[in-house]
Amino acid sequence: MNIGILSRGPELYSTRRLAEAAAKRGHEVRVVDYLRCYMNITSRHPKVIYAGEELNFDAVIPRIGASYTFYGGAVVRQFETMHTLTLNGSVSIIRSRDKLRSLQLLAREGIGLPVTSFAHSTKDIDGLIDIVGGAPLVVKLIEGTQGSGVVLAETRKAGESVISAFRQLDANILVQEFVKEADGEDIRALVVGGEVVASMMRKAAEGEFRSNLHRGGTALPVDISEEEAQTAVNAARVMGLDVAGVDLLRSKNGPVVMEVNSSPGLEGIEGSSGVDVADAIVAYLEKRHAEREGKRSAGQWSGSDTVL
């Protein structure tokens, strides 16, 4: 295959590993900065253009940063209009980046979640806090990523102050119960093609409740239960993601999903688990491509298998 990796830079660990895995498996691979792409949107011959060159790939692997979801999603969608195979579609990427929408979709499908509340008016702060069982509680900016915009309020008064401050800034926030029994640990399960291929435990740094590696957390090997694996697989399915990093907490009521990431980093999980996740991703892309080519040969493929 001729594979394009949509990424801000070839030197990034996850991008580099995916490029190495694709090349090792005999594919042509090119890393393209999606912010440098521009589009010719026409019904007869839609194009994605990079530095004056029209791009044509058999498949693309999107590595869209959270800060550029809108434009990155548009580039992925343009490739979809060209009938290019995309590993994680534009709709799924955009859906997963919206924390509120993600939680609503997961809740509808009965996926385990921490108790969560959401409101617009500062007049409803007491109700928000009551829904999650009072303090301690976690306040999250919907637009936050890698642990930013997440605050632990240990008292009700602190919770009221944080929520009020965020709302004064007209920020959209979620209020969630604090899962104390998780003890500053969470699990990242890497799902590829409906299967957990690797997992790790992330342990928060001393004095920190957020376990994100970007916040000083430590990645450790972990064996997850069948229930935890199935929860991760179900969460990725609900989001419509071929590749997903699903973050779980071990609560007294079983595994609960904190977030589903459409562009999960590979460095921590490959290092802690010893699994070649990049190879697993490219192998799954090969499977998807072979299935599409089989349908094409049998006259069963209409020209698109994505929802725009």
Side-chain angles (χ1 to χ4, degrees):
M1 283 186 290
N2 183 14
I3 299 173
I5 300 177
L6 305 180
S7 171
R8 294 302 318 281
E11 76 285 351
L12 300 172
Y13 178 90
S14 300
T15 301
R16 176 167 52 81
R17 286 288 300 115
L18 287 165
E20 290 171 351
K24 187 176 179 180
R25 295 179 71 93
H27 304 294
E28 294 182 32
V29 60
R30 180 177 178 183
V31 177
V32 174
D33 182 350
Y34 53 90
L35 292 185
R36 293 266 329 269
C37 293
Y38 55 100
M39 293 161 271
N40 180 348
I41 301 172
T42 174
S43 60
R44 296 190 179 277
H45 189 46
K47 300 177 183 179
V48 175
I49 304 165
Y50 177 82
E53 176 190 356
E54 182 179 347
L55 298 178
N56 289 290
F57 296 116
D58 296 315
V60 295
I61 302 176
R63 297 289 306 175
I64 308 300
S67 301
Y68 305 105
T69 299
F70 179 81
Y71 194 80
V75 173
V76 175
R77 188 163 55 246
Q78 184 72 359
F79 276 112
E80 290 168 340
T81 67
M82 297 161 57
H83 308 311
T84 304
L85 176 61
T86 61
L87 200 60
N88 284 349
S90 59
V91 170
S92 299
I93 293 169
I94 294 169
R95 177 193 295 144
S96 66
R97 284 280 160 73
D98 184 333
K99 287 187 175 70
L100 177 61
R101 184 181 181 188
S102 295
L103 291 171
Q104 290 173 319
L105 291 171
L106 292 168
R108 183 180 68 180
E109 297 300 317
I111 307 294
L113 300 170
V115 178
T116 305
S117 58
F118 177 75
H120 179 78
S121 175
T122 55
K123 295 179 180 179
D124 301 313
I125 289 177
D126 284 340
L128 284 177
I129 294 175
D130 289 341
I131 286 174
V132 301
L137 55 89
V138 177
V139 184
K140 294 183 176 182
L141 289 174
I142 287 182
E143 294 82 8
T145 183
Q146 296 179 342
S148 64
V150 180
V151 178
L152 171 62
E154 298 190 8
T155 67
R156 188 180 187 96
K157 192 68 176 176
E160 292 171 352
S161 297
V162 173
I163 294 169
S164 179
F166 280 161
R167 286 303 309 139
Q168 291 298 323
L169 296 173
D170 200 30
N172 291 312
I173 60 172
L174 296 171
V175 180
Q176 289 186 324
E177 67 170 323
F178 176 59
V179 182
K180 184 178 181 180
E181 59 269 26
D183 195 27
E185 298 176 345
D186 75 0
I187 291 169
R188 163 64 63 88
L190 207 300
V191 179
V192 179
E195 178 185 355
V196 175
V197 298
S199 57
M200 67 176 173
M201 175 173 284
R202 301 183 300 189
K203 188 173 182 61
E206 187 69 28
E208 175 64 77
F209 80 98
R210 294 167 294 185
S211 58
N212 305 72
L213 300 185
H214 288 83
R215 296 284 164 180
T218 304
L220 304 168
V222 66
D223 292 324
I224 63 174
S225 68
E226 184 176 336
E227 182 183 14
E228 289 165 344
Q230 192 59 55
T231 298
V233 168
N234 290 342
R237 174 184 54 78
V238 171
M239 291 294 102
L241 293 169
D242 298 306
V243 177
V246 182
D247 296 338
L248 305 166
L249 292 181
R250 287 174 166 168
S251 80
K252 59 188 176 184
N253 298 316
V256 294
V257 175
M258 297 297 291
E259 188 173 358
V260 184
N261 193 318
S262 61
S263 294
L266 304 185
E267 186 170 8
I269 201 161
E270 286 195 335
S272 59
S273 70
V275 176
D276 190 338
V277 177
D279 184 76
I281 291 172
V282 177
Y284 178 69
L285 184 61
E286 292 172 352
K287 178 183 176 183
R288 285 279 310 277
H289 182 259
E291 290 173 349
R292 177 186 273 201
E293 290 304 299
K295 289 180 180 179
R296 193 196 305 270
S297 298
Q300 299 172 345
W301 186 56
S302 62
S304 178
D305 53 8
T306 56
V307 177
L308 301 180

